[in-house]
Amino acid sequence: LAKKEFKPDFVSSAEVMGSGDYNVRFGIMYPLYKDKKQRNTLKEVEANLSATKKGYEQEKLELLFMLKESHLMAKSALQNLNLYKSIIIPQINLTFTSAISNYKTGKIDFLMLFDNLMRLQEGEQRYYELLVGYESVCAEIERLIGGGL
């Protein structure tokens, strides 16, 4: 729009007088001070446009950084979830099952059995904490991309 200020404006008008006469006008409005006023306005608009483009690029880079960071966090959380689900919890469960057998035969006392039960519950609790963390990172990714995964 600022560039249009450099071009002349064409004006026309027509009117009918009460006595039956017609009055028609044509004119051109040419900006005489275009070198001062319009150039400064154009420079200001171009500077605003450049600042807006830089702000857009900055926001885009920040969004990409946050998206990459969230992706790495989700990937790490998923690996930890798989580790807990496939290795750690089954091992703790096996230890607890063995402790139950040993308690029945009298090889360990109740305190050792209870300690193994607590380890199993702590492992399961840690698994669910990791699951919540993974789901929250997925929700963050959905927020960043503006839709579902």
Side-chain angles (χ1 to χ4, degrees):
L1 287 173
K3 290 182 180 181
K4 288 186 177 183
E5 296 290 325
F6 287 98
K7 297 182 180 179
D9 291 332
F10 296 98
V11 179
S12 65
S13 65
E15 62 181 298
V16 178
M17 306 298 244
S19 61
D21 292 334
Y22 296 99
N23 191 4
V24 178
R25 291 184 189 176
F26 294 103
I28 297 176
M29 295 177 65
Y30 188 75
L32 295 175
Y33 301 105
K34 69 178 179 182
D35 289 340
K36 293 181 181 178
K37 287 183 180 179
Q38 281 83 1
R39 290 228 187 268
N40 289 337
T41 303
L42 183 63
K43 285 181 183 178
E44 182 182 349
V45 168
E46 287 175 344
N48 287 341
L49 180 63
S50 176
T52 302
K53 284 182 179 178
K54 286 180 182 177
Y56 171 76
E57 286 298 320
Q58 180 66 28
E59 288 291 325
K60 184 175 141 184
L61 290 174
E62 189 175 323
L63 180 66
L64 285 173
F65 172 75
M66 290 188 315
L67 192 58
K68 285 181 182 179
E69 182 181 34
S70 295
H71 176 261
L72 289 175
M73 289 173 61
K75 189 176 177 183
S76 173
L78 189 59
Q79 288 174 347
N80 286 339
L81 277 172
N82 289 334
L83 181 68
Y84 264 82
K85 188 175 184 178
S86 62
I87 296 173
I88 295 175
I89 291 179
Q91 258 183 351
I92 296 172
N93 198 8
L94 186 63
T95 303
F96 178 66
T97 306
S98 174
I100 289 174
S101 299
N102 287 335
Y103 177 73
K104 287 180 180 178
T105 59
K107 292 182 181 177
I108 62 170
D109 59 353
F110 179 75
L111 189 58
M112 289 291 288
L113 177 66
F114 187 72
D115 185 50
N116 284 318
L117 176 64
M118 292 303 295
R119 287 183 192 201
L120 178 62
Q121 287 181 339
E122 287 170 359
E124 289 175 347
Q125 181 180 357
R126 179 67 182 141
Y127 171 79
Y128 287 111
E129 288 172 357
L130 288 171
L131 184 62
V132 167
Y134 173 73
E135 291 296 328
S136 66
V137 170
C138 287
E140 177 69 14
I141 291 173
E142 288 177 358
R143 184 189 69 82
L144 290 173
I145 63 174
L149 293 177

